[in-house]
Amino acid sequence: AAVDEILKVLEKERLRIADRGVASPPVSLVAFDLTGDVPRAAIGYGDLDAAQNLNWIIPGMFNDVNEGLSGWDKASRDLLRAQADVLRHEGRVEEGNALIAYFEYDTPNLVTVLSADSARAAESRLAAELDGSFATRQENQPLSNHGVLAHSYGTPVAANALLLTRFPVQCFTLMGSAGLDGGRVVSLSDLNIDRDAAGRPRIYTTMADADTTAPLGSQLSNRLQPNPGAASSGERFMPGALVFSSDGAGDLEPVRGHGISRDDGGGYLDSRTQSLDSVARLTVGELTNISGGLSLGNKEIPSAEERISELTLGGP
């Protein structure tokens, strides 16, 4: 089934080129392994050897390559086009952009999704892939913007890996996070990510109001939420990420659930959504014109540090 899904994606691209008579961004098989308990693969979109903006996409539950490739193929193409539009509009088209959809870990199911085991088993492999990608490009055409984009359970996988990398990435973007592994990640500042002018790691996060799955998952698993409104309590909120909206604005559509691609067009990476528009900008390092702006989140649920400060000062 994994081979069939991969061949469908590669054949789709061949037919697209034949039908239009023009070359589109290449789609390539970056990694493939059938020796483990589940099939593992990585699919590349765009010119991985030359693009100055390269992002790794880490999926969550029920997304082994034989299960999730079809949906992520659509989402990856939508994001690649949206990024290219941003670069074109900002006069940066010569930089190029590329993505790698990462299916190289045993994604959890309904039984295992509340456990940290899948993320911990995956962390070393992803860290090695990120470092390998950076090192390979340094030998040829160095990367100016190397990032990680993760969804749902993919967010603790990616965060764990970013504790282990040798080389920093330039940004980490989270969509509908299922919560981070507090047994591994004590603070977002510990992740190996470049800092902004304020000294914060370049971490961006969003949680749609209509996404009830991710908050429930983080609460039941007792993981830490980077989205303050989705945390069950102040102690379960991990501060430090800049928050952007996925709830729609102007002509941009809201996200209507937890998925990255939905039949009603309301997935985190569906075209015309506020989420896709912002993710496209953030993942190529374009922080201007983010719809709704970036913020440190609301203060309805204070962080653990704030509560400690209140106690120190004699507050309630």
Side-chain angles (χ1 to χ4, degrees):
V3 174
D4 290 342
E5 289 299 315
I6 291 170
L7 289 177
K8 285 179 187 176
V9 168
L10 298 178
E11 179 68 3
K12 181 193 301 183
E13 192 61 22
R14 187 190 69 79
L15 292 174
R16 186 195 308 271
I17 294 171
D19 179 58
R20 296 182 180 179
V22 294
S24 60
V27 178
S28 56
L29 184 61
V30 176
F32 189 51
D33 181 6
L34 291 176
T35 62
D37 295 335
V38 299
R40 304 171 193 269
I43 309 296
Y45 296 83
D47 189 340
L48 305 182
D49 296 322
Q52 286 301 297
N53 299 279
L54 174 62
N55 280 269
W56 291 74
I57 303 176
I58 318 302
M61 181 176 69
F62 289 139
N63 273 294
D64 293 340
V65 67
N66 54 305
E67 301 171 309
L69 179 55
S70 176
W72 277 102
D73 176 58
K74 176 185 180 301
S76 298
R77 294 174 193 270
D78 285 345
L79 176 57
L80 195 73
R81 283 192 293 270
Q83 288 178 323
D85 287 344
V86 172
L87 294 176
R88 189 178 305 111
H89 184 268
E90 299 298 331
R92 298 169 52 196
V93 67
E94 74 285 349
E95 293 179 17
N97 58 302
L99 305 169
I100 299 176
Y102 185 84
F103 301 93
E104 294 187 66
Y105 81 104
D106 186 358
T107 64
N109 54 37
L110 286 174
V111 175
T112 59
V113 72
L114 300 182
S115 167
D117 291 348
S118 293
R120 294 181 180 185
E123 59 194 26
S124 296
R125 176 64 176 266
L126 177 55
E129 291 278 30
L130 293 171
D131 280 342
S133 176
F134 178 86
T136 299
R137 285 293 303 270
Q138 287 300 103
E139 292 294 320
N140 300 297
Q141 187 168 348
L143 275 168
S144 60
N145 180 41
H146 192 204
V148 178
L149 170 65
H151 174 251
S152 191
Y153 192 90
T155 62
V157 174
N160 286 3
L162 290 170
L163 289 171
L164 304 177
T165 52
R166 177 182 176 187
F167 305 107
V169 297
Q170 279 62 65
C171 66
F172 178 29
T173 307
L174 303 86
M175 304 175 295
S177 176
L180 305 182
D181 180 359
R184 286 281 198 269
V185 181
V186 177
S187 169
L188 292 180
S189 64
D190 293 335
L191 304 187
N192 198 7
I193 302 170
D194 281 350
R195 266 48 176 174
D196 63 17
R200 294 184 298 259
R202 297 180 185 273
I203 302 175
Y204 313 105
T205 186
T206 191
M207 179 78 74
D209 285 346
D211 184 349
T212 58
T213 301
L216 179 62
S218 63
Q219 291 166 21
L220 292 177
S221 63
N222 212 30
R223 287 192 287 264
L224 302 177
Q225 258 295 340
N227 298 281
S232 59
S233 68
E235 285 76 14
R236 307 318 298 167
F237 170 50
M238 179 172 282
L242 290 174
V243 178
F244 61 100
S245 175
S246 292
D247 295 319
D251 294 334
L252 297 172
E253 296 291 324
V255 169
R256 299 184 178 90
H258 182 60
I260 46 96
S261 182
R262 290 169 52 95
D263 292 340
D264 62 6
Y268 280 102
L269 291 180
D270 274 327
S271 59
R272 296 185 296 278
T273 60
Q274 184 184 19
S275 174
L276 177 66
D277 185 76
S278 296
V279 167
R281 293 175 184 279
L282 293 168
T283 52
V284 297
E286 191 61 52
L287 305 187
T288 59
N289 299 319
I290 301 298
S291 176
L294 295 169
S295 71
L296 283 172
N298 63 57
K299 296 297 182 180
E300 292 177 8
I301 299 178
S303 68
E305 288 84 352
E306 289 171 326
R307 290 199 171 191
I308 291 172
S309 177
E310 286 176 355
L311 291 172
T312 302
L313 295 173

